[in-house]
Amino acid sequence: KHIHSPPGKRSIALKKMAAMQAGGKETLQSQLEHLQMKYVGTGHPDISKHEWASNIHRDSYASYLGHHSMLQYFAVAQNESCGRIRHQMIQNMIMPVGLPPVAPDLKLEVSSEHDLSKAK
């Protein structure tokens, strides 16, 4: 046999659970904001895809360089020396995902300047 609680107690329990979940979301949000302020690489609400990808790649390269066994693994896989792989990774940390995309408002300014030069 299943024991069921009376409907009144069930609705009170559901309301308490809903309130705890809402409070949990607020707590989680405040913890996330605190971490984003404390650590640079965790981003912020207005981070672009390019900036986020750059942070991920830089963190990965830093981890590979910090763990010598990973560096050796890459060196063996690429048939290169550890020093050369280390140098390549450090160079890749400068612009890990390439140039940032041009902002749409800058494209308009450049194209309007170009149109003005044709009119002269």
Side-chain angles (χ1 to χ4, degrees):
K1 291 182 177 182
H2 296 286
I3 300 174
H4 296 286
S5 60
K9 288 188 178 182
R10 186 179 303 146
S11 64
I12 293 172
L14 289 175
K15 287 179 184 176
K16 285 183 180 179
M17 285 176 48
M20 286 175 30
Q21 288 177 348
K25 289 179 184 177
E26 291 171 3
T27 304
L28 183 63
Q29 183 65 28
S30 66
Q31 288 175 353
L32 180 63
E33 288 173 3
H34 175 72
L35 287 174
Q36 288 174 340
M37 288 186 330
K38 189 173 181 182
Y39 300 107
V40 175
T42 55
H44 50 82
D46 299 326
I47 195 167
S48 67
K49 282 184 177 182
H50 181 269
E51 190 177 351
W52 180 81
S54 294
N55 286 339
I56 297 298
H57 282 264
R58 283 191 185 109
D59 287 347
S60 297
Y61 285 130
S63 178
Y64 302 151
L65 292 170
H67 295 91
H68 190 67
S69 58
M70 285 297 294
L71 191 64
Q72 289 176 328
Y73 174 80
F74 286 118
V76 169
Q78 296 178 19
N79 196 24
E80 294 285 348
S81 68
C82 286
R84 186 177 303 259
I85 296 298
R86 176 182 301 277
H87 177 73
Q88 288 174 355
M89 287 187 178
I90 291 171
Q91 291 298 313
N92 287 341
M93 287 176 77
I94 296 170
M95 279 196 307
V97 291
L99 294 171
V102 178
D105 56 339
L106 293 177
K107 285 182 184 176
L108 292 175
E109 289 177 14
V110 171
S111 63
S112 63
E113 288 176 13
H114 184 67
D115 293 339
L116 291 176
S117 63
K118 283 184 178 179
K120 291 180 181 179

